[in-house]
Amino acid sequence: MKHLAVINKYFWKYKTRFLLGILFIVLSNYFRILAPQVSGYVVDQAEQLIRQQTAANTATENKRIANYDYLVQQFIHVIQTHKNSITTNILISAVILFLLALIGGFFMFLMRQTIIVMSRHIEYDQKNEIFTHYQQLDAAFYKTHSTGDLMNRITEDVSRVRMYVGPAVMYFINLAATIGFCLFFMFKTNWHLTLYVLSPLPILAVTIYYVNTIINRKSEKIQALLSDLTTAAQESYSGIRVIKSFVQEKSMLQFFNDNSEDYKKNAIGLARVEAIYFPSMTLLIGISTLLTIAIGGWYLIHQQYNVSAGTILEFVIYINMLTFPVSAIGWTASMIQRAAASQKRINEFLHTEPAIKDHPNVKPGHVSGDIHFQNVSFTYPNTGIKALSHFNLSIKAGEKVLLLGRTGSGKSTIAQLMLHFYNPDEGNITIGGVNVQDIPLKTLRTEISYIPQDVFLFSDTIANNIAFGQQGSIDRNLVEEAAKNASVHNEIMRFEKQYDTMVGERGVTLSGGQKQRISIARALIKQPEIIVFDDCLSAVDAKTENEIVTNLYRFLKDKTGIIITHRIFSTFRFDKIVVLEDGVITEEGTHESLLQHNGYYAELYRIQVLEKMQQA
Ligand code: ATP
Ligand code: MG
C-alpha cells in the first residue's frame, strides 16, 4: 500500500473533482436508501385495508414511522394530512419511488463523471510523467532494460493503477456509504432482525475475496502467457524474412501452437473458477433473504419487536442493496493489491536517476575548437568489457580524422564518450579546452552531429526524417541541400511522392544504403562544426561512396570531421589516420607515413587496391 502513496499528489491535484465525487456518492446512496422505507410504508398501508384500525395498531405504526428518515417522515406527514384514499396514497408513493430512483441514478451518473473522469486525467498525467522520465534516462539504462518491460510499465501498469484511482476508490467509498446508510437504518428499525440477516454476509465477503485471489492468480498467469504469445507472433512477423529463408515456418507454427494450447488450458481453468463465483454469491444472498423472511415472519406472527410486513420488505430490499457492495469488497481489495504491485514497478523506474546529467555548474557556450582525449579508459558497466584503455588523441579544429580498426576495437565507444553518453573511468575529454562533462548535454549534442552506426528512421516522411531535431518549420530547400550533400537526393526524387514519401515501420521500403544516407542528411542539415560519421557508408557501393566522399569533402571544408570505418577512402585527404586495436592506438599518422610503416593500414590498403584492380 505504501507504494501507492505517490498517487496522493494526483488526488490533491484533482481535489475538487474528487470531493465532488465523494459528495455525489453519498447523495446517490442517500436517495436510494429512502426507497425501502417508502416501500415498507406502502405495504403497511395496504395491510391496513384488511386489518382493523385499532389504537394499538396506530401506535406501533407511528413508532415505525418515527424510525424512518426525516424526508420520508415529511412525505408521510403530507399524505396523511390530505386524507386521500389509500389507493391514491399508494399511487403517489409509486411516483415518489420512481423519482427517488431517478435522483439516485442521476447522482450515480455524476459520481462516475467525476471519479472515473478524474482517473483518466491521472492516467494521462502519470503516463506523461513516466515518459518524461524515460527520456531523461541514459544509454546505459536502455541497455539493461528491455523495450517490452518499458512498454509494459507505461501501459499495463499505469492502467492497473488507474483501476485503483478510479473504480476501486469509487467502489470503496460507495461501499462505505451504502453499508453505512443500510446498517444505520436497519439497526434503527430492528436490531434483532438485523443481526440475524447480516450473519451470512461476512462469509460472503470472505468467500468472494478468496475466489477473487484465485481468479487473479489465474489471470496473472494468463496475462503472462498472452504476453509470450504476442511476443512470439510479433517476432515472427518482423522476422518473417529470416524465418522463410531458413524454412522455419513449420517449427514456428508448432511453437505458436504449443503456446496457444497452454493459453487455452489456463483460460478454460479460469472460466471454471468464474463459473462458481456467481452461483455461490447468489446462494449466500438467498440465505440472507430467506433468514429475513423466516425470522421476520416469526416476529410478525408472534407480534414481536414491532415487525410488520412492511418491515420485512424493507429488510429484503436492504439486503439486496448490500449485495453488490459487499461482493465488491474482495474485488476492490484485489484491485488495490494489483495497483500497489504495479505502482511499485513504476516507482522503481521513476526513482532511477540518470547517471549522465548536467551537473549544476555546467558552462553554457558553444562547442568548438580542438578535441583532446587525455589518457581515457572506459569499461562498459553492464558487461565489464574494457573498450578503451589509456587512449590519447588530439584533433585540431578543422582537421579530418580517419578512425580505423577491426570490429569491436572501440571506435564507436570513442564517439559515445565524446557525446557524453557515458563517463570515462579515467582521463579527460575536452573540446576547445572545456571538459565535455562541463558542457550542457543539450549544447553538446545539438552542436556535434553524430551519425550512429545503427540507422534509425521514424515512421514519417523522408523530409521530416531529415529535418528531425530542427526547431520550427524547416525550409524544403535546406532539406534538399542536405540530401544532395549526402548523395541521396536523386534517389528520393525518383519516388512517386519524393520527399513526402512515408518511411514504413523501421524504414522497410528503403534500401540499407538509402537509409544510411538519409541519416547522414539528417546530420548534415544541422550545419555543425564537428561531425562524427560512425561507419555510415558500409552499405553503399564504391561509386556512391566516391560520390559521397567528394561531396563531404566540400561540405567539411572548415569543419572538424571524424570518420569511423572499416574501409579506407583513398580519394579523401585525411589530416590524420588512427588505427585502433582492442581499445589501444596501434598506428597513427598520415596516409603516406602509415604506408611506409607497413602495418595494418598498409595491408588494408593493399587488399583494397587489389580488389579494385580485380573489379576493373
Ligand atoms: P564495430 O566496428 O563493429 O562497430 P567498434 O570498434 O565500434 O566495432 P565498440 O562498439 O566501440 O566497437 O565496442 C568495443 C567493445 O565494447 C566491444 O567489445 C563491445 O562488445 C563492447 N560494447 C560496445 N557497446 C557496448 C555496450 N553498450 N554495452 C556493453 N558492451 C559494449
Ligand atoms: Mg562501432
Side-chain angles (χ1 to χ4, degrees):
M1 271 307 282
K2 67 175 192 295
H3 301 294
L4 286 172
V6 285
I7 296 293
N8 294 346
K9 64 168 185 265
Y10 290 121
F11 283 128
W12 180 247
K13 181 175 174 191
Y14 296 106
K15 53 185 176 297
T16 331
R17 250 177 235 276
F18 188 44
L19 291 177
L20 270 179
I22 295 176
L23 178 71
F24 292 144
I25 293 175
V26 173
L27 283 175
S28 155
N29 273 291
Y30 173 67
F31 283 101
R32 286 194 318 134
I33 206 76
L34 302 183
Q37 301 174 12
V38 175
S39 309
Y41 174 71
V42 170
V43 169
D44 287 344
Q45 288 295 298
E47 205 192 2
Q48 280 181 15
L49 279 176
I50 50 166
R51 210 199 294 169
Q52 279 175 309
Q53 196 83 351
T54 62
N57 278 347
T58 320
T60 45
E61 174 71 14
N62 283 344
K63 263 192 209 158
R64 274 199 295 273
I65 292 174
N67 283 332
Y68 290 152
D69 179 69
Y70 175 75
L71 268 191
V72 180
Q73 289 185 26
Q74 287 306 304
F75 161 68
I76 293 171
H77 179 71
V78 170
I79 35 180
Q80 278 178 346
T81 43
H82 276 81
K83 300 229 181 301
N84 297 316
S85 72
I86 288 186
T87 334
T88 321
N89 280 352
I90 291 176
L91 272 178
I92 295 173
S93 305
V95 173
I96 291 293
L97 280 175
F98 178 69
L99 284 179
L100 285 177
L102 219 58
I103 298 172
F106 177 65
F107 281 118
M108 196 185 288
F109 163 77
L110 290 181
M111 130 189 141
R112 295 194 74 88
Q113 274 297 303
T114 44
I115 301 235
I116 301 294
V117 168
M118 172 189 82
S119 77
R120 289 291 178 195
H121 279 290
I122 293 180
E123 181 186 26
Y124 171 82
D125 286 353
Q126 208 184 12
K127 279 194 177 171
N128 281 343
E129 185 188 357
I130 299 172
F131 189 73
T132 314
H133 191 73
Y134 276 2
Q135 301 270 303
Q136 286 162 2
L137 290 167
D138 49 68
F141 174 84
Y142 284 95
K143 289 282 175 214
T144 46
H145 291 89
S146 74
T147 314
D149 196 18
L150 294 168
M151 288 302 293
N152 242 324
R153 292 185 202 209
I154 206 169
T155 53
E156 195 68 22
D157 285 331
V158 169
S159 76
R160 285 190 182 176
V161 172
R162 189 198 75 84
M163 289 303 278
Y164 157 69
V165 290
V169 161
M170 185 174 79
Y171 288 132
F172 193 76
I173 301 170
N174 192 38
L175 172 93
T178 314
I179 293 183
F181 276 124
C182 280
L183 291 191
F184 176 74
F185 284 110
M186 283 169 90
F187 275 108
K188 202 171 162 201
T189 312
N190 194 321
W191 65 267
H192 298 274
L193 195 55
T194 308
L195 286 182
Y196 282 114
V197 300
L198 286 187
S199 56
L201 285 188
I203 308 174
L204 178 69
V206 173
T207 316
I208 288 171
Y209 178 73
Y210 181 69
V211 176
N212 235 306
T213 327
I214 301 177
I215 290 182
N216 276 340
R217 210 178 42 229
K218 287 196 181 272
S219 26
E220 294 274 319
K221 176 102 194 282
I222 289 180
Q223 201 62 38
L225 285 173
L226 186 65
S227 155
D228 287 352
L229 205 60
T230 329
T231 313
Q234 197 190 348
E235 282 195 351
S236 59
Y237 303 147
S238 41
I240 194 75
R241 273 196 279 180
V242 180
I243 293 174
K244 282 194 179 292
S245 55
F246 283 81
V247 213
Q248 289 299 308
E249 291 100 328
K250 245 207 178 116
S251 59
M252 283 309 284
L253 187 65
Q254 188 57 44
F255 177 67
F256 190 83
N257 274 348
D258 292 348
N259 271 330
S260 227
E261 183 67 34
D262 217 12
Y263 175 75
K264 186 182 80 184
K265 266 198 209 125
N266 278 279
I268 291 175
L270 177 66
R272 212 168 280 144
V273 180
E274 277 177 337
I276 308 173
Y277 189 84
F278 287 101
S280 55
M281 219 167 86
T282 322
L283 178 74
L284 284 162
I285 295 155
I287 293 175
S288 272
T289 315
L290 209 71
L291 282 175
T292 316
I293 297 170
I295 297 170
W298 172 272
Y299 287 158
L300 177 64
I301 294 165
H302 293 88
Q303 297 278 310
Q304 278 175 324
Y305 309 120
N306 268 341
V307 170
S308 67
T311 317
I312 297 177
L313 176 69
E314 201 183 321
F315 269 65
V316 169
I317 304 178
Y318 284 139
I319 290 293
N320 273 293
M321 286 177 72
L322 281 174
T323 317
F324 176 70
V326 170
S327 60
I329 295 179
W331 188 50
T332 317
S334 66
M335 214 151 36
I336 296 175
Q337 271 173 6
R338 296 169 83 178
S342 284
Q343 187 62 44
K344 184 175 167 226
R345 281 155 52 78
I346 295 172
N347 288 347
E348 273 165 20
F349 272 11
L350 288 182
H351 294 159
T352 310
E353 284 287 321
I356 305 295
K357 58 180 177 190
D358 287 340
H359 64 73
N361 27 3
V362 288
K363 303 182 187 88
H366 284 288
V367 181
S368 65
D370 302 352
I371 303 168
H372 289 286
F373 285 79
Q374 288 150 355
N375 199 31
V376 175
S377 297
F378 178 68
T379 307
Y380 279 101
N382 52 328
T383 54
I385 290 174
K386 187 154 194 172
L388 284 184
S389 87
H390 306 289
F391 178 82
N392 285 290
L393 180 66
S394 293
I395 301 169
K396 289 205 186 65
E399 275 187 342
K400 323 286 174 272
V401 175
L402 181 73
L403 266 182
L404 202 66
R406 273 188 250 279
T407 169
S409 54
K411 304 181 297 295
S412 300
T413 309
I414 294 173
Q416 309 242 356
L417 289 176
M418 215 176 108
L419 283 152
H420 197 189
F421 282 119
Y422 299 95
N423 287 321
D425 305 336
E426 58 175 316
N428 283 317
I429 304 163
T430 56
I431 302 176
V434 187
N435 194 320
V436 289
Q437 296 183 14
D438 298 331
I439 304 172
L441 288 174
K442 186 163 182 257
T443 319
L444 187 71
R445 293 178 191 171
T446 40
E447 296 191 9
I448 300 179
S449 259
Y450 171 55
I451 305 150
Q453 198 166 5
D454 39 356
V455 179
F456 184 84
L457 298 183
F458 294 92
S459 301
D460 202 341
T461 61
I462 292 180
N464 286 343
N465 263 295
I466 294 178
F468 179 77
Q470 302 302 106
Q471 301 296 324
S473 68
I474 294 300
D475 189 353
R476 188 50 72 85
N477 291 331
L478 289 176
V479 172
E480 289 191 14
E481 195 191 308
K484 277 178 192 156
N485 281 327
S487 313
V488 68
H489 174 74
N490 291 340
E491 277 156 88
I492 295 173
M493 294 309 278
R494 262 183 256 136
F495 292 131
E496 196 188 330
K497 288 192 178 158
Q498 301 181 343
Y499 280 85
D500 295 317
T501 309
M502 285 297 289
V503 178
E505 196 191 312
R506 288 181 294 142
V508 279
T509 54
L510 297 172
S511 77
Q514 285 165 342
K515 283 191 267 183
Q516 280 189 336
R517 278 168 292 144
I518 287 174
S519 91
I520 295 179
R522 180 194 286 164
L524 299 188
I525 200 171
K526 277 194 195 171
Q527 291 293 339
E529 265 187 61
I530 301 172
I531 181 160
V532 184
F533 300 85
D534 192 351
D535 203 17
C536 49
L537 292 177
S538 58
V540 297
D541 58 80
K543 185 170 162 282
T544 317
E545 180 188 300
N546 252 334
E547 190 187 324
I548 300 174
V549 168
T550 319
N551 279 344
L552 283 183
Y553 205 77
R554 232 181 306 123
F555 180 83
L556 288 175
K557 202 166 158 285
D558 311 309
K559 304 181 189 340
T560 312
I562 301 176
I563 297 174
I564 297 173
T565 163
H566 299 114
R567 274 190 291 179
I568 295 170
F569 303 123
S570 44
T571 50
F572 203 111
R573 273 221 56 82
F574 288 102
D575 300 296
K576 189 179 271 172
I577 295 166
V578 175
V579 179
L580 213 67
E581 199 162 320
D582 289 336
V584 183
I585 295 182
T586 49
E587 293 170 41
E588 186 174 350
T590 58
H591 175 70
E592 289 77 19
S593 73
L594 287 185
L595 278 188
Q596 221 154 39
H597 176 74
N598 206 13
Y600 179 75
Y601 181 82
E603 190 191 330
L604 203 65
Y605 181 73
R606 275 197 296 277
I607 295 171
Q608 278 192 17
V609 172
L610 219 66
E611 250 176 29
K612 272 209 188 108
M613 273 166 37
Q614 277 171 349
Q615 279 167 5

